[in-house]
Amino acid sequence: MLCKIHLVYTGQLRSAVGMSEDALEFAQPVRLSEALTAAAEKRGAAARRILLNEDGKIQRALVLMVGGAQVPRGSDPVLENGAQLTIMTPISGG
Amino acid sequence: MRTELTSEERAVYEWQLWVDDFGEKGQLALRNASVLVSRCGGLGGPVAYELAAAGVGKLILAHEGNVEYSDLNRQLLMTQDWVGKPRIESAKRRLQELNPRLEVEAHNVNVNEENAAELVGAADLIIDCAPMFEERFAMNRQAVLQRKPIIECAMYDLEASITTIIPGQTPCLACVVPSVPPAWERQFPVIGAVSGAVGCMAVMEAVKVLAGFGKPLLGRMIHFDLRSASFSEFQIERDSDCAVCGSL
Ligand SMILES: [Zn+2]
């Protein structure tokens, strides 16, 4: 069964990729880390630098939301068809 | 501690004394409160101005440096005639023009690891408007240590986010952002009305927490994008391994 993941890019990530919404399709439900890796591959080096560290792991400073809830730090949940993943790069004042 | 409003205060705050659940009790709570705002630029300026208008008794402001032309699209407490002069002086002057009853403790310095304990200690509540994550982490750490509520607000481009932290009860900043984000840069795009919008929301969070009414953003983060005029609310979680608040 096709698994479509809706992505929302915010902050510096939105600036880097030039869009706020995106979608990824997989053959089956995927883990969060796989979705982020696929997004990095799809959107190129600027996105990759923000999404993944040098070891290809999820950047520690990202704030990730699935649906309306934050993904607990360190967990890698399975995203089902239709899931919305919001990727927030922390922002500040000034 | 004041237990009654003056006749002048009743006149000035008449319209908000009519607000359900706020009233004279809420107004007195604001009058007796001290709020630390760091810094008082694009975000902290509107925050300080709205707090002054609402009748907070004392503002503690920390903001280093002189007014620059590039401040003026968003830093509403700065004026063009003050370019090259200390921001903190412009801020204090503008706030007391609006509210001469307001006590302003103005520091021409940014919050850092050395001064955070004292600045946070002098306040009942903190509104974090700082650009540097090092400043934000220093304030968060002290707010948690001293069990003071702290409102985290931030902006970028046409986006903003806000949450209210009660140490030991809600996630702290370090639960959500454990380290300086590598993509973050000191200068970034923003339109002043965006920082003003989230600054006004931060003041409403402060008013609710200080006056003890309404439903603050506890364990909830609002993110909005005014490019598409879309608002989202997220549940945020305490990190049991948080280096700052994990032991509370
Ligand atoms: Zn924490």
Side-chain angles (χ1 to χ4, degrees):
Chain A
M1 188 189 86
L2 194 68
C3 175
K4 187 170 183 179
I5 308 296
H6 304 276
L7 300 172
V8 178
Y9 301 139
T10 78
Q12 294 91 342
L13 179 58
R14 188 203 57 78
S15 293
V17 300
M19 62 179 67
S20 58
E21 293 182 21
D22 201 358
L24 294 168
E25 289 186 353
F26 302 91
Q28 56 199 22
V30 287
R31 293 215 173 260
L32 171 66
S33 56
E34 295 172 81
L36 288 175
T37 303
E41 280 170 14
K42 185 177 179 186
R43 293 297 159 207
R48 184 179 179 85
R49 187 176 64 86
I50 294 173
L51 293 169
L52 305 174
N53 65 21
E54 287 170 1
D55 300 329
K57 301 260 170 54
I58 300 172
Q59 276 286 4
R60 188 165 178 258
L62 290 177
V63 184
L64 301 165
M65 311 287 188
V66 174
Q70 184 189 359
V71 178
R73 196 155 295 285
S75 76
D76 192 9
V78 172
L79 307 181
E80 303 288 344
N81 182 37
Q84 177 166 295
L85 171 60
T86 302
I87 307 169
M88 302 175 75
T89 53
I91 55 177
S92 65
Chain B
M1 177 180 284
R2 290 266 302 278
T3 55
E4 277 193 48
L5 298 175
T6 64
S7 55
E8 180 183 270
E9 287 168 337
R10 282 203 180 84
V12 170
Y13 304 116
E14 184 178 25
W15 285 38
Q16 66 193 46
L17 291 172
W18 296 333
V19 170
D20 283 345
D21 305 324
F22 180 73
E24 191 153 331
K25 184 166 154 280
Q27 193 64 55
L28 274 166
L30 296 190
R31 183 69 184 82
N32 288 319
S34 296
V35 179
L36 168 63
V37 181
S38 169
R39 306 181 192 183
C40 50
L43 194 42
V47 163
Y49 207 57
E50 288 287 357
L51 287 168
V56 162
K58 181 177 176 182
L59 285 177
I60 303 163
L61 307 176
H63 196 150
E64 191 174 305
N66 295 336
V67 178
E68 298 176 10
Y69 279 98
S70 62
D71 296 341
L72 298 174
N73 81 314
R74 65 196 184 284
Q75 300 196 14
L76 300 186
L77 298 181
M78 313 307 162
T79 49
Q80 189 156 329
D81 65 340
W82 214 256
V83 168
K85 299 178 191 169
R87 293 187 178 104
I88 204 74
E89 290 177 11
S90 183
K92 182 173 182 177
R93 171 174 53 90
R94 297 259 283 167
L95 292 165
Q96 290 185 324
E97 280 171 5
L98 174 68
N99 180 353
R101 298 166 301 283
L102 174 70
E103 183 183 349
V104 179
E105 185 183 307
H107 298 269
N108 190 356
V109 64
N110 297 325
V111 171
N112 55 46
E113 290 290 348
E114 283 69 47
N115 63 22
E118 191 177 345
L119 290 167
V120 167
D124 299 303
L125 178 145
I126 301 99
I127 304 188
D128 179 4
C129 304
M132 309 295 286
F133 276 90
E134 289 79 0
E135 289 173 63
R136 300 178 83 92
F137 291 147
M139 269 185 290
N140 177 64
R141 204 163 10 253
Q142 282 302 323
V144 169
L145 275 173
Q146 302 185 36
R147 310 287 177 102
K148 303 271 176 88
I150 177 167
I151 293 152
E152 286 293 333
C153 48
M155 83 286 196
Y156 176 90
D157 194 82
L158 269 59
E159 298 175 33
S161 63
I162 177 169
T163 189
T164 294
I165 294 166
I166 307 288
Q169 183 182 339
T170 69
C172 79
L173 175 62
C175 289
V176 183
V177 184
S179 56
V180 176
W184 183 88
E185 291 177 350
R186 172 67 188 85
Q187 292 181 310
F188 53 85
V190 71
I191 290 178
V194 178
S195 46
V198 74
C200 287
M201 291 170 72
V203 171
M204 277 316 304
E205 288 300 294
V207 167
K208 288 187 294 182
V209 170
L210 290 169
F213 77 111
K215 187 181 167 193
L217 280 167
L218 306 184
R220 300 183 289 147
M221 175 187 284
I222 285 182
H223 173 269
F224 60 83
D225 182 358
L226 298 182
R227 195 173 286 271
S228 56
S230 58
F231 285 68
S232 304
E233 180 183 320
F234 300 102
Q235 301 297 315
I236 52 174
E237 303 293 335
R238 288 191 71 187
D239 179 357
S240 56
D241 295 327
C242 175
V244 177
C245 79
S247 62
L248 292 190

